[in-house]
Amino acid sequence: MKSTEEKIEEIKSHGYELDFGTVFNHAFEIYKKIALSAGVALLLFAVLFCIIVVGLIVGIMGVGISADDLQQFSIVNISPLGIVAYIVFMVAVTALGSPFTAGITKMARNASRNEEVAVGNAFDYYGGPYFSKILLASLILASFTTLLDVGLELIDYKILGVILNLVVSFLTFLTIPLIIFGNLQPMEAIKGSIIIISKQFLIIIALLIVTVLFCLLGFFGFCIGIFFTMPLLNAITYSLYATILDDHENESQNETYIPTELLE
């Protein structure tokens, strides 16, 4: 069986075929199995995350901070030391949330293989051998995007910073599954994700646009519904990884869905 590195090299040289319907249908079958558990996990994480972030903001900026102060916050209005503190804060917050994303993606893989799916799976990667790799990859990406965003905002190109951030996030969104399922090192996973995404840029961006639109429907469920539609993003992430890198080796034994092109 080919290693992940060999598969990526083959993709780099020859590309690959990808069918929109196959990936989306596979992802939606996964989503139906994880929606409740992943939604509950997301809700718990959001509450905990907000408590921690608010605590950090109050600790750094003081108890007198108001909602208006946060809305009017701008990089150009703070000191160089404040900018450094802001960068460190944003990088740390982003990086510490990445193991949770990995956990939800693992739930998607378990569901695809008809294995047990539990709320606790969402927190599996806050420990173990992959934690440091996930954290390092996230620190690298978060540092790059935050510095890019801050730098462009300081020279009054904030919109460009937002666009470039979205592009970087899009090209690297397979980094986590390449680490936890492909066992790649952080930089290898980042490079691998860029290679894979760039070969089928249009189809993958179309998949993500449709997925995001579906996720936004959650706002119509008293807003809290967003927590139960968001897991489709993780299901799409795993379905893409599994379809492109042939991660279905155990699924036939469990009589789960296999994309048709993998059987040809």
Side-chain angles (χ1 to χ4, degrees):
M1 184 177 177
K2 293 180 181 178
S3 67
T4 304
E5 292 92 336
E6 290 172 331
K7 292 176 183 177
I8 291 173
E9 280 301 313
E10 190 173 290
I11 287 169
K12 185 178 180 180
S13 301
H14 307 292
Y16 60 92
E17 297 296 322
L18 192 66
D19 180 72
F20 181 103
T22 298
V23 174
F24 191 83
N25 290 338
H26 182 223
F28 202 78
E29 289 302 312
I30 293 171
Y31 166 73
K32 289 189 291 186
K33 297 177 183 179
I34 68 169
L36 183 59
S37 297
V40 171
L42 276 164
L43 188 56
L44 291 172
F45 181 78
V47 172
L48 181 62
F49 192 75
C50 286
I51 291 172
I52 293 172
V53 170
V54 170
L56 288 172
I57 291 173
V58 170
I60 295 170
M61 303 183 71
V63 293
I65 186 82
S66 67
D68 288 337
D69 292 330
L70 291 176
Q71 289 177 352
Q72 295 171 10
F73 174 81
S74 175
I75 288 295
V76 298
N77 296 328
I78 61 177
S79 66
L81 184 59
I83 292 175
V84 172
Y86 170 80
I87 292 171
V88 171
F89 174 78
M90 293 302 297
V91 169
V93 167
T94 304
L96 289 174
S98 56
F100 179 80
T101 301
I104 299 291
T105 307
K106 180 185 178 182
M107 292 173 72
R109 191 193 211 200
N110 287 354
S112 183
R113 297 178 170 204
N114 283 336
E115 297 174 359
E116 182 182 2
V117 174
V119 173
N121 292 145
F123 304 93
D124 283 351
Y125 291 104
Y126 282 99
Y130 291 110
F131 176 72
S132 59
K133 293 181 181 180
I134 295 168
L135 196 63
L136 180 57
S138 299
L139 285 171
I140 292 169
L141 291 173
S143 297
F144 177 76
T145 55
T146 304
L147 286 168
L148 183 66
D149 187 50
V150 169
L152 289 171
E153 186 173 349
L154 287 172
I155 58 174
D156 202 23
Y157 283 98
K158 186 174 182 178
I159 299 300
L160 179 60
V162 172
I163 293 171
L164 291 177
N165 256 313
L166 289 172
V167 171
V168 172
S169 299
F170 171 66
L171 289 172
T172 59
F173 84 95
L174 287 180
T175 298
I176 285 178
L178 284 169
I179 291 173
I180 61 177
F181 305 140
N183 201 30
L184 296 185
Q185 296 300 317
M187 283 305 301
E188 292 175 341
I190 292 170
K191 292 175 184 177
S193 179
I194 294 171
I195 291 169
I196 292 168
I197 302 300
S198 62
K199 291 295 183 179
Q200 288 288 358
F201 187 93
L202 293 178
I203 292 178
I204 295 175
I205 200 168
L207 276 165
L208 290 183
I209 289 172
V210 171
T211 302
V212 168
L213 290 174
F214 174 86
C215 292
L216 292 176
L217 292 176
F219 283 116
F220 293 102
F222 302 103
C223 291
I224 199 173
I226 190 71
F227 295 107
F228 298 93
T229 53
M230 281 290 289
L232 182 59
L233 275 171
N234 302 89
I236 283 287
T237 300
Y238 175 68
S239 184
L240 280 166
Y241 174 85
T243 302
I244 297 166
L245 293 173
D246 194 10
D247 192 48
H248 298 272
E249 65 272 12
N250 294 330
E251 294 187 4
S252 58
Q253 299 174 14
N254 296 328
E255 299 182 350
T256 195
Y257 175 89
I258 302 177
T260 54
E261 72 263 31
L262 295 177
L263 299 174
E264 295 176 355

